[in-house]
Amino acid sequence: MLLIPCPYCQHIFEEEDFAYAGEAFIERPPQPEQISDQEWADYLFMRNNPKGPHLEQWIHAAGCRKFFVVKRNTANNRIEGSWTMAKAHAGKNDLLERL
Ligand SMILES: [Zn+2]
């Protein structure tokens, strides 16, 4: 079982209080009508599946109901940090560089 720190509640809760919401920093194409069907399918379905550090979105479903970003090592399930969406996006390049 994961113990996940919610950056909004400033407390650690059990995994059952949260829902996984996919890989972090997936950006919707600004003009979907101008990209190919393959590019649209890649945006919708293709995700990284690394063994090691991974940036993910989670929602505190049974708590504050806010989305946030978690850095989780998929090899050992250790949570290496969590950030509010605002802080994660402000430090996006730094977070991606430190993977
Ligand atoms: Zn929370």
Side-chain angles (χ1 to χ4, degrees):
M1 174 196 324
L2 293 174
L3 294 174
I4 301 174
C6 176
Y8 296 100
C9 296
Q10 302 279 315
H11 193 72
I12 297 172
F13 299 95
E14 294 180 355
E15 181 180 355
E16 290 82 30
D17 288 358
F18 298 88
Y20 180 73
E23 184 177 343
F25 303 124
I26 301 297
E27 293 186 27
R28 181 183 170 90
Q31 297 181 322
E33 66 280 359
Q34 294 182 359
I35 63 174
S36 69
D37 288 347
Q38 183 61 51
E39 290 170 319
W40 182 248
D42 288 349
Y43 158 70
L44 290 176
F45 303 114
M46 300 305 290
R47 298 294 182 260
N48 290 320
N49 188 20
K51 180 179 180 182
H54 188 232
L55 292 169
E56 310 171 326
Q57 294 181 126
W58 287 76
I59 180 171
H60 193 183
C64 62
R65 302 197 52 78
K66 293 181 179 174
F67 285 91
F68 58 99
V69 173
V70 168
K71 184 177 181 182
R72 180 176 65 91
N73 188 319
T74 61
N76 56 23
N77 254 348
R78 286 201 188 114
I79 304 284
E80 300 177 1
S82 67
W83 299 267
T84 65
M85 293 306 273
K87 285 185 179 176
H89 280 274
K92 175 182 171 183
N93 293 337
D94 194 38
L95 286 173
L96 291 172
E97 285 176 10
R98 288 189 282 152
L99 282 179

